[in-house]
């Protein structure tokens, strides 16, 4: 199936007024991204700063770019002028730097806090109590140029659907608690970014409002270092 066919298939399965489809285009060429773009897709997710910066420069300006991967504090400045949503915020220090760079760019940058839900050592993210600690801190209340829209999480990479369901459900329950404790008046606190190609259906059943789909749209990724393709404009 072509990229356009894959997108059509996802859009028929997902209630797109409730769940945003993010096309994860990391390692994909500009040509492949334009194929998705020409099929109507406008929201793309990348996980490397250099790659998202290059693609933002080269591709149509009405694309919404989401940074979904781990972000280092010293690289925030490169994406601050244009990034639409930063999914993987996993420290107060990073949030403070995003706030600083957003201020410099006269913007308010939307963020999600990445919560650690997987039963794996390697995944980035904050524990539930660390998130509460950030939201209670004086330092957080001083941040005027960031807005937290919700939470992001990555489930364990397993075929055990029960386990994935439990992990997404825990995130959802925690989200509801945060909403009641810290964001009762903030209507924008409503996003749950969970679900990838392998587990997006479970994620949606467990309250996801943003699914991040890569290989399901573009096919298997070729594992190689990204090389900028400057042919498109
Ligand atoms: C790569 C990636 C995805 C997409 O994964 P697929 O399995 O290709 O759908 C989603 N979220 C994050 C954070 C990723 O790095």
């Amino acid at each position: 199936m072509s990229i356009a066919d894959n997108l059509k298939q996802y859009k028929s399965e997902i209630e797109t007024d409730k769940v945003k489809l993010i096309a994860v285009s990391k390692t994909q060429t500009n040509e492949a991204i334009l194929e998705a773009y020409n099929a109507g897709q406008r929201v793309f997710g990348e996980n490397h700063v250099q790659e998202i910066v290059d693609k933002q420069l080269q591709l149509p300006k009405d694309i919404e770019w989401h940074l979904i991967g781990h972000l280092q504090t010293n690289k925030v400045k490169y994406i601050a002028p244009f990034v639409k949503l930063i999914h993987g915020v996993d420290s107060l220090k990073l949030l403070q730097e995003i706030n600083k760079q957003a201020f410099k760019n006269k913007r308010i940058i939307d963020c999600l806090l990445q919560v650690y839900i997987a039963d794996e050592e390697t995944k980035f993210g904050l524990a539930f109590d660390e998130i509460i600690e950030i939201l209670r801190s004086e330092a957080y209340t001083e941040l005027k140029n960031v807005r937290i829209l919700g939470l992001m999480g990555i489930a364990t990479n397993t075929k055990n659907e029960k386990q994935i369901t439990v992990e997404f459900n825990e995130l959802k329950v925690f989200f509801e608690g945060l909403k009641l404790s810290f964001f009762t008046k903030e209507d924008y606190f409503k996003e749950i970014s969970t679900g990838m190609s392998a587990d997006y259906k479970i994620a949606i059943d467990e309250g996801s409002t943003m699914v991040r789909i890569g290989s399901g749209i573009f096919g298997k990724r070729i594992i190689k270092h990204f090389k900028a393709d400057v042919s498109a404009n």
Side-chain angles (χ1 to χ4, degrees):
M1 290 225 292
S2 70
I3 290 169
D5 288 337
N6 292 337
L7 277 169
K8 206 166 155 196
Q9 179 68 29
Y10 278 107
K11 283 182 193 156
S12 71
E13 279 175 32
I14 294 170
E15 288 182 76
T16 46
D17 55 327
K18 296 200 186 98
V19 180
K20 191 167 205 155
L21 175 61
I22 300 168
V24 176
S25 49
K26 62 189 187 198
T27 78
Q28 306 297 338
T29 61
N30 286 349
E31 196 182 20
I33 296 172
L34 282 172
E35 193 178 332
Y37 180 89
N38 290 330
Q41 183 68 25
R42 290 294 179 274
V43 186
F44 292 87
E46 291 284 339
N47 68 345
H48 286 116
V49 167
Q50 187 60 55
E51 194 172 340
I52 199 172
V53 167
D54 289 346
K55 286 174 174 174
Q56 192 271 337
L57 273 172
Q58 294 158 7
L59 288 160
K61 294 300 171 247
D62 61 338
I63 289 178
E64 229 182 72
W65 292 104
H66 291 218
L67 193 83
I68 60 170
H70 183 67
L71 175 59
Q72 285 172 289
T73 310
N74 61 358
K75 294 194 175 161
V76 174
K77 56 180 176 284
Y78 302 115
I79 60 167
F82 67 88
V83 71
K84 175 75 178 175
L85 181 62
I86 299 174
H87 289 237
V89 177
D90 60 358
S91 71
L92 178 60
K93 192 169 135 253
L94 179 58
L95 202 56
Q96 287 170 315
E97 177 64 15
I98 296 168
N99 185 72
K100 182 174 146 194
Q101 297 300 333
F103 179 78
K104 279 192 186 167
N105 285 277
K106 301 190 174 65
R107 296 187 65 201
I108 290 173
I109 296 182
D110 289 335
C111 298
L112 302 176
L113 295 175
Q114 182 170 356
V115 49
Y116 184 89
I117 51 171
D119 185 18
E120 287 169 8
E121 289 290 324
T122 54
K123 299 265 161 81
F124 292 105
L126 293 154
F128 292 158
D129 59 331
E130 291 174 316
I131 290 184
I132 291 168
E133 201 178 308
I134 289 174
L135 296 176
R136 277 192 185 143
S137 69
E138 177 104 26
Y140 167 71
T141 61
E142 287 163 8
L143 306 179
K144 303 297 179 216
N145 290 71
V146 289
R147 206 167 60 148
I148 294 175
L149 302 193
L151 301 177
M152 181 268 213
I154 302 172
T156 303
N157 185 6
T158 174
K159 291 215 161 24
N160 183 344
E161 296 195 352
K162 182 95 188 292
Q163 182 179 351
I164 296 169
T165 305
V166 167
E167 290 174 0
F168 285 151
N169 184 258
E170 281 172 359
L171 188 152
K172 166 82 172 163
V173 170
F174 181 64
F175 170 90
E176 302 289 356
L178 288 185
K179 175 92 192 143
L180 286 174
S181 307
F182 297 98
F183 298 96
T184 40
K185 290 195 229 72
E186 288 79 3
D187 291 340
Y188 56 78
F189 187 84
K190 61 181 171 58
E191 305 296 352
I192 295 180
S193 167
T194 48
M196 324 204 315
S197 298
D199 58 15
Y200 75 96
K201 283 187 179 157
I202 304 174
I204 291 171
D205 286 344
E206 297 303 326
S208 174
T209 65
M210 295 183 163
V211 289
R212 310 177 307 267
I213 310 284
S215 47
I217 294 172
F218 293 102
K220 275 214 162 66
R221 278 181 292 279
I222 302 154
I223 317 272
K224 62 168 188 200
H225 284 292
F226 171 72
K227 197 164 145 285
D229 168 0
V230 289
S231 61
N233 61 71

